[in-house]
Amino acid sequence: MLEVFHFLRPEWLVLLPVIVGLWWIIRPKKKSDQALTEGLAPHLAQALLIGANEDRRFYPIDTLALALALLTLAVAGPTWSRMPNPLLAQTAPLVVALQVTPSMEETDVQPSRLQRASFKIIDLVKQRSGAQTALIAYAGSAHRVAPLTQDPNIISSYLQGLSAATMPKEGDRADAALTLALTELSRAETPGAILFVLDDFNPANLTAFTENADERSPVVFLIAGPETLKVPQIESIPNSDVVHMTVDDSDIKQIERTVLSAYRKALLEDETQAWNDRGWFLAWPVALLILLTFRRGWTMQWAVVLLLMLPFPRSAQASGLKDWFFTPDQQGQMAYANKDFTEAATHFQDLEWRAYTLFISGQYEEATEAYSRIETSDGALGEGMALLRNRKYRDGVRAFKKALERDPTNEAAQHNLIVAQAIVAYVESTQSQSDTGEEAGIGADDTVFDNESGLGAETQIERGEETAATLTDEQWMRSVDTDVSDFLRTRFMLETSEGNP
């Protein structure tokens, strides 16, 4: 904050010396008592000057000068951060690298180190609502389990299938996990952080961590185990923090602070975003100083003028005290900072912010409508994402095509168009197979003669009471039943056989 602190309109600061000079001229000066007591006996002079030595500490001009100085600083536009981009996640992406080794299955913390670590990761992902998180598992080899996603359910489902038996090789290839994590972060639009969840560290990996130390991608080590467990090898790694797993959420908060710090650093480097004017912070102390002018003996003629200049609300139907001091967008920002996205969406008048908060709060129909009114490529991209979340895949394809028509270089729209088209093709293929009735459990209602047996037996199979119907997208998704552990084990073995680390 101190490194980037500056004023957006520094020319207003020239008024500060003027204010100080006027304050010095107007403020009452202490008068000498010698002229008043000249020629009087000392004991009489002392009696006549009772109370004269009591100095008044504050005058109305002091309050006025301080208020004017604060207002001058506010108008000068102090700032130390940039405005966040509403079309990007408002925190840095995070890649979680989980060590999956036999030692992680020890039960010195209940139910086990690995399961406790999984619980912590799930809590962290849920707390990072609206942010992107990826998952990597490593032992003797490293594998990407889930790419960067905003859906905590994806991370949760894969974590349940991870165990030491899932990994094709034993060992500690944290260096390979670091390479995968950096590759994953390179695909994100903003720099992010890496979280290693482990209970041991092979010193042979130190070189890779030292050489790849990057201030834009800090590394956090979460030690999964009892409080007495120490991993001294990681203490010397630059640009890293070590966090011990706790029974409460203090470890998660510490990790989130590190990730948020990484996002703020990345935001400061984004030259396309405007600086966030923080001058309104000074409105509160100025308002308190104005209250002093209502004290008896403190009223000045300038107070009436100042009150007339105050920006009162145009409408008398103010919904609350906040409406007197904060704009709807500022109230939306405060609700967003508290992660109350539903409340934030009701306040935002800025269309991009409103669409984004509707999206991350799960109001996909409303988000689709809001994004459709943004006549940019990113607006069409957001519309497509909202449609996909609402299981309207074909409409999502059309939205991504519209985004590419507006900006053919939009890589996110290109990628999502391919994914959406694949989903549509897969769903249509599955639905066409289910139309035969074989997978839906629908039998035939025709009479069939068993001529092959030569017995001429008449066989009749009747259809049940339920009617034939094509499976919906949601029914098809729910009908998929796959053992996550077997799936991951097979996938990791294929990746290892293909030469991946």
Side-chain angles (χ1 to χ4, degrees), residues 336-353:
Y336 181 88
N338 294 328
K339 296 191 175 181
D340 190 352
F341 304 123
T342 303
E343 177 70 14
T346 62
H347 289 292
F348 275 123
Q349 292 183 349
D350 184 279
L351 193 55
E352 293 182 351
W353 273 106

Side-chain angles (χ1 to χ4, degrees), residues 12 25 28 61 69 77 100 255 288 315 340 369 457 480:
W12 285 91
I25 295 172
I61 187 58
V100 187
I255 294 170
L288 294 175
S315 174
D340 190 352
E369 190 275 334
V480 178

Side-chain angles (χ1 to χ4, degrees), residues 84-329:
N85 189 338
L87 296 178
L88 300 179
Q90 299 309 303
T91 186
L94 176 67
V95 178
V96 180
L98 176 62
Q99 186 181 33
V100 187
T101 57
S103 64
M104 287 288 288
E105 295 183 338
E106 293 185 8
T107 57
D108 48 1
V109 292
Q110 295 298 321
S112 69
R113 294 181 180 179
L114 183 60
Q115 288 180 300
R116 179 70 70 82
S118 299
F119 296 154
K120 287 291 183 181
I121 294 173
I122 293 174
D123 291 341
L124 176 62
V125 173
K126 289 182 178 179
Q127 186 169 323
R128 287 166 42 81
S129 176
Q132 290 185 319
T133 308
L135 178 62
I136 293 174
Y138 75 94
S141 56
H143 306 272
R144 187 184 70 170
V145 180
L148 288 171
T149 177
Q150 295 180 350
D151 191 349
N153 295 325
I154 295 177
I155 304 292
S156 176
S157 60
Y158 280 126
L159 280 172
Q160 296 174 4
L162 287 175
S163 64
T166 309
M167 306 305 294
K169 291 182 180 180
E170 293 186 3
D172 181 2
R173 288 299 306 276
D175 57 336
L178 177 64
T179 302
L180 278 179
L182 293 173
T183 302
E184 193 68 24
L185 287 178
S186 65
R187 301 180 180 136
E189 296 177 329
T190 58
I194 304 173
L195 172 64
F196 273 84
V197 185
L198 46 77
D199 64 351
D200 196 10
F201 187 84
N202 189 341
N205 297 316
L206 280 175
T207 303
F209 280 80
T210 303
E211 293 178 350
N212 291 282
D214 185 2
E215 293 183 358
R216 292 164 56 88
S217 300
V219 178
V220 182
F221 294 96
L222 177 61
I223 300 179
E227 295 181 0
T228 56
L229 180 63
K230 303 295 182 182
V231 185
Q233 302 92 322
I234 61 179
E235 299 291 343
S236 60
I237 296 178
N239 194 32
S240 66
D241 292 322
V242 179
V243 180
H244 289 269
M245 190 177 294
T246 60
V247 295
D248 55 11
D249 61 349
S250 59
D251 49 356
I252 296 178
K253 292 180 179 179
Q254 186 175 352
I255 294 170
E256 183 62 16
R257 284 195 297 268
T258 302
V259 177
L260 183 59
S261 176
Y263 170 74
R264 288 172 176 168
K265 289 181 180 179
L267 195 63
L268 290 174
E269 298 174 1
D270 188 0
E271 299 293 339
T272 62
Q273 295 302 115
W275 289 98
N276 191 5
D277 192 339
R278 303 283 185 164
W280 63 272
F281 282 154
L282 299 175
W284 291 106
V286 171
L288 294 175
L289 289 172
I290 292 175
L291 289 178
L292 293 176
T293 62
F294 293 94
R295 293 185 59 188
R296 186 175 182 180
W298 283 68
T299 305
M300 296 180 61
Q301 294 178 354
W302 54 264
V304 178
V305 179
L306 184 61
L307 288 175
L308 292 176
M309 295 174 59
L310 288 177
F312 290 100
R314 295 182 180 179
S315 174
Q317 300 177 348
S319 60
L321 185 61
K322 284 186 177 180
D323 294 336
W324 287 67
F325 298 98
F326 301 102
T327 65
D329 285 337

Side-chain angles (χ1 to χ4, degrees), residues 315-393:
S315 174
Q317 300 177 348
S319 60
L321 185 61
K322 284 186 177 180
D323 294 336
W324 287 67
F325 298 98
F326 301 102
T327 65
D329 285 337
Q330 289 173 338
Q331 295 180 45
Q333 285 284 357
M334 289 186 288
Y336 181 88
N338 294 328
K339 296 191 175 181
D340 190 352
F341 304 123
T342 303
E343 177 70 14
T346 62
H347 289 292
F348 275 123
Q349 292 183 349
D350 184 279
L351 193 55
E352 293 182 351
W353 273 106
R354 183 173 182 274
Y356 178 73
T357 49
L358 286 170
F359 178 80
I360 60 179
S361 63
Q363 303 178 64
Y364 301 125
E365 287 284 354
E366 294 80 358
T368 300
E369 190 275 334
Y371 274 123
S372 65
R373 295 165 56 191
I374 303 176
E375 300 295 332
T376 63
S377 178
D378 287 336
L381 173 63
E383 180 184 357
M385 294 298 296
L387 288 167
L388 287 188
R389 290 293 182 92
N390 208 24
R391 298 185 182 277
K392 296 181 178 180
Y393 305 119

